[in-house]
Amino acid sequence: MTTLVRALGYETTERADEADLVILNTCAGEVRDDDGPTTPGFTDAQVEALTAWVRGGGALLALHAATVASQSNLALRALLGAVFIEHPPQFSFTVHPLHREHPITAGIDAFAVHDEFYVHAFDDTITIHMMALDRGVAHPMVWSKREGQGRVAYIAMGHGPEVWGLEPYRR
């Protein structure tokens, strides 16, 4: 799996097949930022390597802006189970666990967060674990899915350190 590490653009002496988890927290994608140029997206080879690693039994945790990258890459969208659509200006909202028995929500009660509220178009392949309301509509905030022998989980919150410091978020 050293190929995976190189394909994702990292040079390391560690073997990727020894990794338990890959964390994806980037909005790299072929999208134009209003304040600057287009950010380069992941290559097809990078997404193929990541997908193969996950399907082979790897675990992928995608955070916050990771679904922005899936706007320009259909294979990444399929792997993550969703694509970012929009977010209103930051505001305070409450995130509610759905309290199904699942390790992602074990011991977590509803909590308030001040953050960007990500709105997604999502596939029917995801299992929703937490949701929040915006303008009277419920939106998934945390989900997971199986991908081959592997697992994918996504957490929509997490724009900055004030969110990362919340105990329920860290759990």
Side-chain angles (χ1 to χ4, degrees), residues 78-152:
L79 180 62
L80 298 178
V83 61
F84 169 81
I85 301 296
E86 67 174 344
H87 70 75
Q90 291 190 24
F91 66 97
S92 295
F93 54 93
T94 301
V95 182
H96 301 271
L98 299 181
H99 289 297
R100 293 185 203 135
E101 286 192 33
H102 196 279
I104 290 177
T105 55
I108 297 177
D109 293 318
F111 64 97
V113 62
H114 186 88
D115 200 5
E116 293 176 334
F117 191 105
Y118 269 32
V119 176
H120 293 94
F122 51 91
D123 303 336
D124 61 3
T125 60
I126 67 171
T127 300
I128 301 167
H129 302 289
M130 302 181 88
M131 52 75 60
L133 295 173
D134 178 35
R135 296 169 271 185
V137 177
H139 295 272
M141 291 286 114
V142 177
W143 65 76
S144 66
K145 63 178 279 204
R146 299 299 281 174
E147 186 67 33
Q149 298 300 310
R151 301 166 294 159
V152 175

Side-chain angles (χ1 to χ4, degrees), residues 13-35:
T13 58
E14 295 177 333
R15 294 177 44 100
D17 58 354
E18 296 172 2
D20 294 325
L21 175 70
V22 168
I23 298 173
L24 181 60
N25 184 19
T26 180
C27 57
E30 300 283 334
V31 294
R32 176 155 172 70
D33 183 347
D34 291 339
D35 297 313

Side-chain angles (χ1 to χ4, degrees), residues 1 8 10 13 38 43 46 69 82 88 141-142 149 165-166 170:
M1 272 306 170
L8 292 175
Y10 300 102
T13 58
T38 300
T43 67
Q46 289 170 324
M141 291 286 114
V142 177
Q149 298 300 310
L166 295 172
R170 289 194 317 267

